[in-house]
Amino acid sequence: MGLEWHKISGVKVLNIAEENAKAVEKMVNNAIAEIQKQNITILEIQTTADNLIFFLGEKGE
């Protein structure tokens, strides 16, 4: 998904290096719950070897 038509209001980065799958799952679920509680939309999630990057904001047209 391209982000060019969206308004990005923030980025949340989770460092998942040295974490096992269960710990990563718990971190992601907590992050999603926190983001939803604030009424913010997750536009996209990208990954690197060590991080999960949540792009937050408003969907465009």
Side-chain angles (χ1 to χ4, degrees):
M1 173 193 341
L3 294 172
E4 60 271 0
W5 301 111
H6 302 295
K7 180 179 179 184
I8 297 174
S9 61
V11 176
K12 181 169 185 72
V13 179
L14 297 180
N15 186 321
I16 58 172
E18 302 179 21
E19 300 290 345
N20 63 36
K22 190 168 192 115
V24 170
E25 183 177 344
K26 185 175 181 179
M27 288 169 54
V28 170
N29 286 336
N30 288 340
I32 290 171
E34 177 186 320
I35 291 165
Q36 288 178 335
K37 184 186 271 187
Q38 297 175 18
N39 252 356
I40 299 172
T41 301
I42 299 171
L43 300 174
E44 184 170 273
I45 301 173
Q46 295 184 3
T47 62
T48 67
D50 297 332
N51 299 298
L52 291 176
I53 305 162
F54 292 78
F55 290 89
L56 312 172
E58 299 173 11
K59 291 184 179 180
E61 300 174 19

